[in-house]
């Protein structure tokens, strides 16, 4: 599915710089940026979930350490 990406001139310039720095096309730079952002978001969500579980599991210990 082909999509049109509308960028401001500043965004277009930033994308061109990113693509040049990585030695890839603007298309490839865009795809890489999307994948990196998705991966980062998924890692953050997983860390939040694991952290919440650990805080619940060790709530008594954490309470004792806080005193």
């Amino acid at each position: 599915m082909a999509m049109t990406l509308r960028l401001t001139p500043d965004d277009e310039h930033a994308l061109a710089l990113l693509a040049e720095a990585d030695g890839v096309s603007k298309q490839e730079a865009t795809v890489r940026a999307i994948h990196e952002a998705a991966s980062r978001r998924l890692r953050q969500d997983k860390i939040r979930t694991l952290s919440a579980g650990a805080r619940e599991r060790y709530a008594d210990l954490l309470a004792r350490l806080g005193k």
Side-chain angles (χ1 to χ4, degrees), residues 4-37:
T4 300
L5 182 62
R6 291 179 182 82
L7 301 174
T8 65
D10 287 344
D11 292 338
E12 176 69 32
H13 181 69
L15 178 57
L17 291 174
L18 180 62
E20 184 178 341
D22 287 347
V24 297
S25 68
K26 290 190 285 185
Q27 167 71 24
E28 180 63 20
T30 301
V31 170
R32 286 181 180 186
I34 291 167
H35 289 191
E36 288 173 14

Side-chain angles (χ1 to χ4, degrees), residues 33-47:
I34 291 167
H35 289 191
E36 288 173 14
S39 177
R40 197 169 39 251
R41 175 73 53 88
L42 291 174
R43 275 194 310 273
Q44 289 170 349
D45 289 348
K46 185 172 184 175
I47 289 169

